[in-house]
Amino acid sequence: RTPLHVVAALTTLAHDEAAARWRAHGGDGDDALCADLRTIARVVDYLTHTVNDVLDFNRHHAGAHAVVLHEQLEFAPADAVRHVADMLRVVANDRDVRVDVCVRDGGG
């Protein structure tokens, strides 16, 4: 898990530095580098949760301790779909493939 924590910390530092430079040069809003760094941060967070779940399962399976139930988290399906699309775009762009996503927010 430590390497993932290092990647998360360095990604946060890089994002903050890139955002500060973007604003210092008159950038309005956000640039592509900052968006890419946020995607990396989401992927690292997802991987960290996955590794933790696997380790918890293995400990439980070995009888080491009871399963730890994670706190209830808010889940927004539309945001989840957008995040997955962002991750897929990284690979798709290298192959000149376009990823389009249309998500309707709200109930229904």
Side-chain angles (χ1 to χ4, degrees):
R1 286 182 273 194
T2 300
L4 288 175
H5 292 133
V6 170
V7 172
L10 291 174
T11 301
T12 299
L13 290 172
H15 176 271
D16 293 348
E17 178 68 22
R21 287 183 183 187
W22 179 253
R23 286 188 301 273
H25 286 60
D28 189 23
D30 206 4
D31 72 334
L33 177 59
C34 289
D36 289 345
L37 289 167
R38 280 194 308 277
T39 299
I40 293 168
R42 281 193 303 269
V43 171
V44 169
D45 186 53
Y46 171 77
L47 286 172
T48 300
H49 285 295
T50 302
V51 167
N52 287 337
D53 288 345
V54 169
L55 292 173
D56 288 346
F57 177 80
N58 286 337
R59 279 189 221 115
H60 174 70
H61 188 65
H65 68 76
V67 173
V68 176
L69 297 177
H70 294 283
E71 70 277 1
Q72 185 174 2
L73 302 174
E74 270 189 45
F75 178 70
D79 289 341
V81 169
R82 287 185 193 100
H83 293 318
V84 169
D86 289 344
M87 288 184 268
L88 292 174
R89 278 189 193 98
V90 173
V91 175
N93 287 341
D94 289 341
R95 297 184 176 137
D96 292 327
V97 174
R98 193 172 92 192
V99 175
D100 289 325
V101 176
C102 180
V103 178
R104 183 177 63 174
D105 290 322

